[in-house]
Short mmCIF file of all heavy atoms in Angstrom, two decimals:
data_model
loop_
_atom_site.label_atom_id
_atom_site.label_comp_id
_atom_site.label_asym_id
_atom_site.label_seq_id
_atom_site.Cartn_x
_atom_site.Cartn_y
_atom_site.Cartn_z
N ALA A 350 0.49 27.03 23.98
CA ALA A 350 1.94 26.95 24.09
C ALA A 350 2.50 28.16 24.84
O ALA A 350 3.40 28.03 25.67
CB ALA A 350 2.57 26.86 22.70
N LYS A 351 1.95 29.36 24.57
CA LYS A 351 2.44 30.58 25.22
C LYS A 351 2.03 30.65 26.69
O LYS A 351 2.83 31.00 27.56
CB LYS A 351 1.89 31.82 24.49
CG LYS A 351 2.54 32.08 23.14
CD LYS A 351 1.88 33.28 22.47
CE LYS A 351 2.44 33.50 21.07
NZ LYS A 351 1.72 34.58 20.35
N GLN A 352 0.76 30.36 26.98
CA GLN A 352 0.23 30.55 28.34
C GLN A 352 0.50 29.37 29.27
O GLN A 352 0.66 29.56 30.48
CB GLN A 352 -1.28 30.81 28.26
CG GLN A 352 -1.63 32.10 27.53
CD GLN A 352 -3.12 32.23 27.27
OE1 GLN A 352 -3.93 31.42 27.75
NE2 GLN A 352 -3.52 33.24 26.50
N GLU A 353 0.51 28.16 28.74
CA GLU A 353 0.62 26.98 29.59
C GLU A 353 1.85 26.12 29.30
O GLU A 353 2.04 25.09 29.93
CB GLU A 353 -0.66 26.13 29.46
CG GLU A 353 -1.93 26.90 29.80
CD GLU A 353 -3.17 26.10 29.46
OE1 GLU A 353 -3.25 24.92 29.87
OE2 GLU A 353 -4.07 26.65 28.79
N GLY A 354 2.64 26.55 28.31
CA GLY A 354 3.84 25.78 27.95
C GLY A 354 3.55 24.77 26.85
O GLY A 354 2.42 24.33 26.68
N VAL A 355 4.60 24.42 26.14
CA VAL A 355 4.46 23.47 25.02
C VAL A 355 3.96 22.11 25.51
O VAL A 355 3.22 21.42 24.80
CB VAL A 355 5.82 23.31 24.29
CG1 VAL A 355 5.73 22.26 23.19
CG2 VAL A 355 6.27 24.65 23.70
N ALA A 356 4.32 21.76 26.74
CA ALA A 356 3.90 20.45 27.28
C ALA A 356 2.38 20.34 27.37
O ALA A 356 1.84 19.22 27.33
CB ALA A 356 4.51 20.24 28.65
N SER A 357 1.67 21.49 27.47
CA SER A 357 0.21 21.44 27.57
C SER A 357 -0.43 20.88 26.30
O SER A 357 -1.56 20.39 26.32
CB SER A 357 -0.35 22.84 27.84
OG SER A 357 -0.17 23.69 26.72
N LEU A 358 0.30 20.95 25.18
CA LEU A 358 -0.23 20.41 23.92
C LEU A 358 -0.31 18.89 23.95
O LEU A 358 -0.99 18.29 23.12
CB LEU A 358 0.65 20.86 22.74
CG LEU A 358 0.74 22.37 22.51
CD1 LEU A 358 1.73 22.67 21.39
CD2 LEU A 358 -0.63 22.95 22.19
N TRP A 359 0.41 18.28 24.88
CA TRP A 359 0.35 16.83 25.03
C TRP A 359 -0.32 16.45 26.35
O TRP A 359 -0.16 15.36 26.85
CB TRP A 359 1.75 16.22 24.92
CG TRP A 359 2.09 15.96 23.49
CD1 TRP A 359 1.87 14.80 22.79
CD2 TRP A 359 2.69 16.87 22.56
NE1 TRP A 359 2.28 14.95 21.49
CE2 TRP A 359 2.80 16.21 21.31
CE3 TRP A 359 3.14 18.19 22.66
CZ2 TRP A 359 3.33 16.81 20.19
CZ3 TRP A 359 3.66 18.80 21.54
CH2 TRP A 359 3.75 18.11 20.32
N ARG A 360 -1.14 17.39 26.89
CA ARG A 360 -1.90 17.08 28.10
C ARG A 360 -2.89 15.96 27.78
O ARG A 360 -3.58 15.97 26.78
CB ARG A 360 -2.66 18.32 28.58
CG ARG A 360 -3.49 18.06 29.86
CD ARG A 360 -4.09 19.35 30.38
NE ARG A 360 -3.04 20.24 30.86
CZ ARG A 360 -3.14 21.57 30.91
NH1 ARG A 360 -4.23 22.16 30.47
NH2 ARG A 360 -2.16 22.30 31.37
N GLY A 361 -2.94 14.98 28.66
CA GLY A 361 -3.84 13.85 28.44
C GLY A 361 -3.38 12.91 27.35
O GLY A 361 -4.15 12.08 26.87
N SER A 362 -2.10 13.04 26.94
CA SER A 362 -1.63 12.21 25.82
C SER A 362 -1.66 10.71 26.14
O SER A 362 -1.92 9.90 25.25
CB SER A 362 -0.21 12.63 25.41
OG SER A 362 0.68 12.52 26.50
N ALA A 363 -1.42 10.37 27.41
CA ALA A 363 -1.49 8.95 27.78
C ALA A 363 -2.90 8.42 27.54
O ALA A 363 -3.09 7.30 27.03
CB ALA A 363 -1.09 8.77 29.25
N LEU A 364 -3.90 9.25 27.90
CA LEU A 364 -5.29 8.86 27.68
C LEU A 364 -5.61 8.81 26.19
O LEU A 364 -6.31 7.91 25.71
CB LEU A 364 -6.22 9.87 28.36
CG LEU A 364 -6.32 9.75 29.88
CD1 LEU A 364 -6.95 11.00 30.46
CD2 LEU A 364 -7.13 8.53 30.27
N THR A 365 -5.10 9.79 25.46
CA THR A 365 -5.34 9.83 24.01
C THR A 365 -4.78 8.59 23.35
O THR A 365 -5.43 7.97 22.49
CB THR A 365 -4.69 11.08 23.38
OG1 THR A 365 -5.12 12.24 24.10
CG2 THR A 365 -5.07 11.22 21.93
N VAL A 366 -3.57 8.22 23.75
CA VAL A 366 -2.92 7.03 23.18
C VAL A 366 -3.71 5.77 23.54
O VAL A 366 -3.98 4.92 22.67
CB VAL A 366 -1.46 6.92 23.66
CG1 VAL A 366 -0.87 5.57 23.31
CG2 VAL A 366 -0.61 8.04 23.04
N ASN A 367 -4.11 5.66 24.82
CA ASN A 367 -4.88 4.48 25.24
C ASN A 367 -6.19 4.39 24.48
O ASN A 367 -6.59 3.31 24.02
CB ASN A 367 -5.16 4.55 26.75
CG ASN A 367 -3.92 4.26 27.57
OD1 ASN A 367 -3.00 3.59 27.11
ND2 ASN A 367 -3.86 4.77 28.79
N ARG A 368 -6.89 5.54 24.38
CA ARG A 368 -8.17 5.54 23.67
C ARG A 368 -7.97 5.19 22.20
O ARG A 368 -8.74 4.41 21.63
CB ARG A 368 -8.84 6.92 23.79
CG ARG A 368 -10.15 7.02 23.04
CD ARG A 368 -10.69 8.44 22.99
NE ARG A 368 -11.90 8.49 22.19
CZ ARG A 368 -11.95 8.60 20.87
NH1 ARG A 368 -10.81 8.66 20.18
NH2 ARG A 368 -13.11 8.66 20.23
N ALA A 369 -6.95 5.78 21.59
CA ALA A 369 -6.71 5.54 20.16
C ALA A 369 -6.36 4.07 19.90
O ALA A 369 -6.77 3.50 18.88
CB ALA A 369 -5.58 6.43 19.67
N MET A 370 -5.61 3.47 20.82
CA MET A 370 -5.30 2.05 20.68
C MET A 370 -6.57 1.21 20.74
O MET A 370 -6.77 0.30 19.92
CB MET A 370 -4.32 1.62 21.79
CG MET A 370 -2.93 2.21 21.62
SD MET A 370 -1.87 1.92 23.08
CE MET A 370 -1.58 0.15 22.92
N ILE A 371 -7.44 1.55 21.69
CA ILE A 371 -8.69 0.81 21.85
C ILE A 371 -9.59 1.02 20.63
O ILE A 371 -10.14 0.07 20.07
CB ILE A 371 -9.42 1.25 23.14
CG1 ILE A 371 -8.63 0.81 24.37
CG2 ILE A 371 -10.84 0.67 23.19
CD1 ILE A 371 -9.12 1.43 25.67
N VAL A 372 -9.76 2.30 20.21
CA VAL A 372 -10.64 2.61 19.08
C VAL A 372 -10.13 1.98 17.80
O VAL A 372 -10.88 1.34 17.06
CB VAL A 372 -10.79 4.14 18.90
CG1 VAL A 372 -11.45 4.47 17.57
CG2 VAL A 372 -11.61 4.73 20.04
N THR A 373 -8.84 2.15 17.52
CA THR A 373 -8.28 1.64 16.26
C THR A 373 -8.33 0.12 16.21
O THR A 373 -8.72 -0.46 15.18
CB THR A 373 -6.84 2.13 16.06
OG1 THR A 373 -6.80 3.56 16.17
CG2 THR A 373 -6.30 1.73 14.71
N ALA A 374 -7.94 -0.52 17.32
CA ALA A 374 -7.97 -1.99 17.35
C ALA A 374 -9.39 -2.52 17.21
O ALA A 374 -9.64 -3.46 16.45
CB ALA A 374 -7.34 -2.49 18.64
N SER A 375 -10.34 -1.90 17.93
CA SER A 375 -11.73 -2.38 17.88
C SER A 375 -12.42 -1.99 16.58
O SER A 375 -13.17 -2.78 16.00
CB SER A 375 -12.52 -1.85 19.08
OG SER A 375 -12.49 -0.44 19.14
N GLN A 376 -12.16 -0.76 16.10
CA GLN A 376 -12.86 -0.27 14.91
C GLN A 376 -12.34 -0.91 13.62
O GLN A 376 -13.09 -1.51 12.86
CB GLN A 376 -12.71 1.25 14.84
CG GLN A 376 -13.49 1.93 13.74
CD GLN A 376 -13.13 3.40 13.65
OE1 GLN A 376 -11.99 3.76 13.37
NE2 GLN A 376 -14.11 4.25 13.91
N LEU A 377 -11.03 -0.78 13.37
CA LEU A 377 -10.46 -1.28 12.12
C LEU A 377 -10.43 -2.81 12.07
O LEU A 377 -10.78 -3.41 11.05
CB LEU A 377 -9.06 -0.72 11.90
CG LEU A 377 -8.93 0.82 11.87
CD1 LEU A 377 -7.52 1.22 11.42
CD2 LEU A 377 -9.95 1.45 10.96
N ALA A 378 -10.00 -3.42 13.18
CA ALA A 378 -9.92 -4.88 13.20
C ALA A 378 -11.30 -5.51 13.10
O ALA A 378 -11.51 -6.49 12.36
CB ALA A 378 -9.21 -5.35 14.47
N SER A 379 -12.28 -4.95 13.84
CA SER A 379 -13.62 -5.55 13.80
C SER A 379 -14.30 -5.31 12.44
O SER A 379 -15.03 -6.17 11.96
CB SER A 379 -14.50 -5.00 14.93
OG SER A 379 -14.66 -3.61 14.84
N TYR A 380 -14.02 -4.17 11.81
CA TYR A 380 -14.57 -3.93 10.46
C TYR A 380 -14.07 -4.99 9.48
O TYR A 380 -14.86 -5.61 8.76
CB TYR A 380 -14.20 -2.55 9.95
CG TYR A 380 -14.59 -2.32 8.50
CD1 TYR A 380 -15.91 -2.07 8.16
CD2 TYR A 380 -13.63 -2.40 7.48
CE1 TYR A 380 -16.28 -1.89 6.82
CE2 TYR A 380 -14.00 -2.22 6.15
CZ TYR A 380 -15.32 -1.97 5.83
OH TYR A 380 -15.68 -1.80 4.51
N ASP A 381 -12.77 -5.19 9.48
CA ASP A 381 -12.19 -6.21 8.59
C ASP A 381 -12.74 -7.59 8.90
O ASP A 381 -13.05 -8.37 7.99
CB ASP A 381 -10.66 -6.22 8.71
CG ASP A 381 -10.00 -5.06 7.97
OD1 ASP A 381 -10.67 -4.45 7.11
OD2 ASP A 381 -8.83 -4.77 8.25
N GLN A 382 -12.88 -7.89 10.19
CA GLN A 382 -13.35 -9.21 10.61
C GLN A 382 -14.82 -9.42 10.21
O GLN A 382 -15.18 -10.46 9.66
CB GLN A 382 -13.19 -9.37 12.13
CG GLN A 382 -13.33 -10.79 12.63
CD GLN A 382 -12.19 -11.69 12.19
OE1 GLN A 382 -11.11 -11.23 11.83
NE2 GLN A 382 -12.42 -13.01 12.18
N PHE A 383 -15.67 -8.42 10.51
CA PHE A 383 -17.10 -8.53 10.14
C PHE A 383 -17.27 -8.62 8.63
O PHE A 383 -18.10 -9.38 8.13
CB PHE A 383 -17.88 -7.33 10.69
CG PHE A 383 -18.16 -7.39 12.17
CD1 PHE A 383 -17.79 -6.36 13.01
CD2 PHE A 383 -18.80 -8.50 12.72
CE1 PHE A 383 -18.04 -6.41 14.37
CE2 PHE A 383 -19.06 -8.56 14.09
CZ PHE A 383 -18.67 -7.51 14.92
N LYS A 384 -16.49 -7.83 7.91
CA LYS A 384 -16.56 -7.84 6.44
C LYS A 384 -16.20 -9.22 5.88
O LYS A 384 -16.91 -9.75 5.01
CB LYS A 384 -15.62 -6.77 5.89
CG LYS A 384 -15.62 -6.65 4.37
CD LYS A 384 -14.62 -5.58 3.93
CE LYS A 384 -14.40 -5.62 2.43
NZ LYS A 384 -13.36 -4.65 1.98
N GLU A 385 -15.12 -9.81 6.41
CA GLU A 385 -14.71 -11.14 5.96
C GLU A 385 -15.78 -12.18 6.28
O GLU A 385 -16.09 -13.05 5.45
CB GLU A 385 -13.40 -11.53 6.65
CG GLU A 385 -12.17 -10.82 6.09
CD GLU A 385 -10.90 -11.16 6.85
OE1 GLU A 385 -10.93 -12.15 7.62
OE2 GLU A 385 -9.89 -10.45 6.69
N MET A 386 -16.36 -12.10 7.50
CA MET A 386 -17.39 -13.07 7.91
C MET A 386 -18.62 -12.99 7.00
O MET A 386 -19.18 -14.01 6.61
CB MET A 386 -17.78 -12.82 9.36
CG MET A 386 -16.72 -13.22 10.38
SD MET A 386 -17.09 -12.60 12.05
CE MET A 386 -18.65 -13.38 12.37
N ILE A 387 -19.04 -11.76 6.69
CA ILE A 387 -20.23 -11.58 5.83
C ILE A 387 -19.99 -12.16 4.44
O ILE A 387 -20.85 -12.85 3.89
CB ILE A 387 -20.59 -10.08 5.74
CG1 ILE A 387 -21.11 -9.58 7.10
CG2 ILE A 387 -21.64 -9.83 4.66
CD1 ILE A 387 -21.24 -8.06 7.20
N ILE A 388 -18.80 -11.89 3.89
CA ILE A 388 -18.49 -12.36 2.53
C ILE A 388 -18.27 -13.87 2.50
O ILE A 388 -18.80 -14.58 1.64
CB ILE A 388 -17.27 -11.62 1.97
CG1 ILE A 388 -17.58 -10.12 1.80
CG2 ILE A 388 -16.82 -12.22 0.64
CD1 ILE A 388 -16.38 -9.25 1.50
N GLU A 389 -17.49 -14.39 3.48
CA GLU A 389 -17.16 -15.82 3.51
C GLU A 389 -18.39 -16.69 3.76
O GLU A 389 -18.47 -17.82 3.28
CB GLU A 389 -16.10 -16.10 4.58
CG GLU A 389 -14.70 -15.59 4.18
CD GLU A 389 -13.69 -15.74 5.31
OE1 GLU A 389 -14.07 -16.29 6.37
OE2 GLU A 389 -12.55 -15.29 5.14
N ASN A 390 -19.36 -16.16 4.53
CA ASN A 390 -20.58 -16.91 4.82
C ASN A 390 -21.68 -16.65 3.78
O ASN A 390 -22.83 -17.07 3.97
CB ASN A 390 -21.10 -16.58 6.22
CG ASN A 390 -20.20 -17.13 7.31
OD1 ASN A 390 -19.93 -18.33 7.37
ND2 ASN A 390 -19.70 -16.26 8.18
N HIS A 391 -21.32 -15.92 2.72
CA HIS A 391 -22.22 -15.65 1.60
C HIS A 391 -23.51 -14.94 2.03
O HIS A 391 -24.58 -15.17 1.45
CB HIS A 391 -22.57 -16.95 0.85
CG HIS A 391 -21.37 -17.73 0.42
ND1 HIS A 391 -20.52 -17.30 -0.59
CD2 HIS A 391 -20.84 -18.90 0.90
CE1 HIS A 391 -19.54 -18.18 -0.73
NE2 HIS A 391 -19.69 -19.16 0.15
N VAL A 392 -23.40 -14.12 3.07
CA VAL A 392 -24.56 -13.33 3.51
C VAL A 392 -24.83 -12.22 2.49
O VAL A 392 -25.96 -12.00 2.08
CB VAL A 392 -24.32 -12.72 4.91
CG1 VAL A 392 -25.50 -11.85 5.34
CG2 VAL A 392 -24.06 -13.82 5.94
N MET A 393 -23.76 -11.55 2.10
CA MET A 393 -23.83 -10.52 1.06
C MET A 393 -22.53 -10.52 0.28
O MET A 393 -21.52 -11.05 0.75
CB MET A 393 -24.04 -9.12 1.68
CG MET A 393 -25.45 -8.85 2.18
SD MET A 393 -25.66 -7.14 2.77
CE MET A 393 -24.92 -7.26 4.40
N ASN A 394 -22.57 -9.92 -0.91
CA ASN A 394 -21.36 -9.78 -1.70
C ASN A 394 -20.55 -8.58 -1.19
O ASN A 394 -21.03 -7.79 -0.38
CB ASN A 394 -21.70 -9.59 -3.19
CG ASN A 394 -22.34 -10.82 -3.78
OD1 ASN A 394 -21.99 -11.94 -3.43
ND2 ASN A 394 -23.30 -10.60 -4.67
N ASP A 395 -19.33 -8.45 -1.70
CA ASP A 395 -18.47 -7.33 -1.31
C ASP A 395 -18.97 -6.06 -2.01
O ASP A 395 -18.50 -5.69 -3.09
CB ASP A 395 -17.01 -7.61 -1.71
CG ASP A 395 -16.07 -6.54 -1.19
OD1 ASP A 395 -16.53 -5.63 -0.46
OD2 ASP A 395 -14.87 -6.59 -1.52
N GLY A 396 -19.93 -5.40 -1.37
CA GLY A 396 -20.51 -4.18 -1.92
C GLY A 396 -20.93 -3.23 -0.83
O GLY A 396 -20.55 -3.39 0.34
N LEU A 397 -21.75 -2.24 -1.20
CA LEU A 397 -22.16 -1.20 -0.25
C LEU A 397 -22.87 -1.75 0.97
O LEU A 397 -22.62 -1.32 2.10
CB LEU A 397 -23.06 -0.19 -0.98
CG LEU A 397 -23.49 1.04 -0.16
CD1 LEU A 397 -22.28 1.86 0.25
CD2 LEU A 397 -24.47 1.89 -0.96
N GLY A 398 -23.76 -2.74 0.77
CA GLY A 398 -24.49 -3.33 1.90
C GLY A 398 -23.56 -3.96 2.92
O GLY A 398 -23.74 -3.79 4.14
N THR A 399 -22.57 -4.67 2.44
CA THR A 399 -21.57 -5.29 3.32
C THR A 399 -20.77 -4.22 4.06
O THR A 399 -20.54 -4.34 5.27
CB THR A 399 -20.61 -6.18 2.50
OG1 THR A 399 -21.36 -7.22 1.90
CG2 THR A 399 -19.53 -6.79 3.39
N HIS A 400 -20.36 -3.20 3.34
CA HIS A 400 -19.56 -2.13 3.95
C HIS A 400 -20.34 -1.41 5.05
O HIS A 400 -19.81 -1.13 6.13
CB HIS A 400 -19.11 -1.13 2.88
CG HIS A 400 -18.32 -1.74 1.78
ND1 HIS A 400 -18.20 -1.17 0.53
CD2 HIS A 400 -17.61 -2.91 1.72
CE1 HIS A 400 -17.45 -1.93 -0.25
NE2 HIS A 400 -17.09 -3.00 0.45
N VAL A 401 -21.61 -1.10 4.80
CA VAL A 401 -22.44 -0.40 5.79
C VAL A 401 -22.68 -1.27 7.01
O VAL A 401 -22.56 -0.83 8.16
CB VAL A 401 -23.78 0.03 5.16
CG1 VAL A 401 -24.74 0.57 6.22
CG2 VAL A 401 -23.56 1.09 4.09
N THR A 402 -23.03 -2.55 6.80
CA THR A 402 -23.30 -3.47 7.91
C THR A 402 -22.06 -3.67 8.79
O THR A 402 -22.13 -3.58 10.02
CB THR A 402 -23.77 -4.84 7.38
OG1 THR A 402 -24.91 -4.66 6.53
CG2 THR A 402 -24.14 -5.78 8.52
N ALA A 403 -20.94 -3.95 8.16
CA ALA A 403 -19.69 -4.15 8.91
C ALA A 403 -19.28 -2.87 9.63
O ALA A 403 -18.76 -2.92 10.76
CB ALA A 403 -18.58 -4.59 7.96
N SER A 404 -19.54 -1.72 9.02
CA SER A 404 -19.19 -0.43 9.62
C SER A 404 -19.99 -0.17 10.90
O SER A 404 -19.44 0.26 11.91
CB SER A 404 -19.43 0.71 8.64
OG SER A 404 -18.62 0.59 7.51
N PHE A 405 -21.31 -0.40 10.84
CA PHE A 405 -22.15 -0.17 12.02
C PHE A 405 -21.74 -1.09 13.17
O PHE A 405 -21.67 -0.67 14.33
CB PHE A 405 -23.63 -0.39 11.69
CG PHE A 405 -24.37 0.87 11.38
CD1 PHE A 405 -24.96 1.05 10.14
CD2 PHE A 405 -24.45 1.90 12.31
CE1 PHE A 405 -25.64 2.24 9.84
CE2 PHE A 405 -25.13 3.08 12.02
CZ PHE A 405 -25.72 3.25 10.78
N ALA A 406 -21.46 -2.36 12.85
CA ALA A 406 -21.03 -3.31 13.87
C ALA A 406 -19.71 -2.86 14.49
O ALA A 406 -19.53 -2.89 15.72
CB ALA A 406 -20.89 -4.71 13.27
N ALA A 407 -18.79 -2.41 13.66
CA ALA A 407 -17.48 -1.94 14.14
C ALA A 407 -17.64 -0.68 14.99
O ALA A 407 -16.95 -0.52 16.00
CB ALA A 407 -16.56 -1.66 12.96
N GLY A 408 -18.54 0.21 14.59
CA GLY A 408 -18.78 1.43 15.35
C GLY A 408 -19.33 1.14 16.74
O GLY A 408 -18.94 1.79 17.72
N PHE A 409 -20.22 0.15 16.85
CA PHE A 409 -20.77 -0.23 18.16
C PHE A 409 -19.69 -0.79 19.07
O PHE A 409 -19.59 -0.42 20.24
CB PHE A 409 -21.90 -1.25 17.98
CG PHE A 409 -22.51 -1.71 19.28
CD1 PHE A 409 -23.44 -0.91 19.94
CD2 PHE A 409 -22.14 -2.91 19.86
CE1 PHE A 409 -23.99 -1.32 21.15
CE2 PHE A 409 -22.68 -3.33 21.07
CZ PHE A 409 -23.62 -2.52 21.71
N VAL A 410 -18.87 -1.68 18.53
CA VAL A 410 -17.77 -2.28 19.31
C VAL A 410 -16.82 -1.19 19.81
O VAL A 410 -16.42 -1.17 20.98
CB VAL A 410 -17.01 -3.33 18.46
CG1 VAL A 410 -15.76 -3.81 19.20
CG2 VAL A 410 -17.90 -4.51 18.14
N ALA A 411 -16.46 -0.27 18.93
CA ALA A 411 -15.53 0.81 19.29
C ALA A 411 -16.12 1.73 20.35
O ALA A 411 -15.42 2.18 21.26
CB ALA A 411 -15.15 1.61 18.05
N SER A 412 -17.42 2.02 20.27
CA SER A 412 -18.08 2.90 21.23
C SER A 412 -18.09 2.31 22.64
O SER A 412 -17.75 2.98 23.62
CB SER A 412 -19.53 3.18 20.80
OG SER A 412 -19.57 3.83 19.56
#
Side-chain angles (χ1 to χ4, degrees):
K351 287 177 184 174
Q352 296 171 7
E353 303 172 50
V355 176
S357 68
L358 298 175
W359 274 269
R360 180 173 293 153
S362 58
L364 285 165
T365 308
V366 168
N367 287 335
R368 178 189 176 276
M370 290 170 71
I371 292 169
V372 168
T373 306
S375 56
Q376 185 187 64
L377 302 189
S379 61
Y380 173 76
D381 283 343
Q382 194 69 20
F383 284 126
K384 181 181 169 184
E385 285 176 14
M386 288 168 60
I387 291 169
I388 295 169
E389 287 174 4
N390 290 304
H391 307 290
V392 178
M393 285 185 281
N394 294 324
D395 186 5
L397 185 62
T399 298
H400 302 158
V401 171
T402 304
S404 297
F405 263 120
F409 179 79
V410 172
S412 299

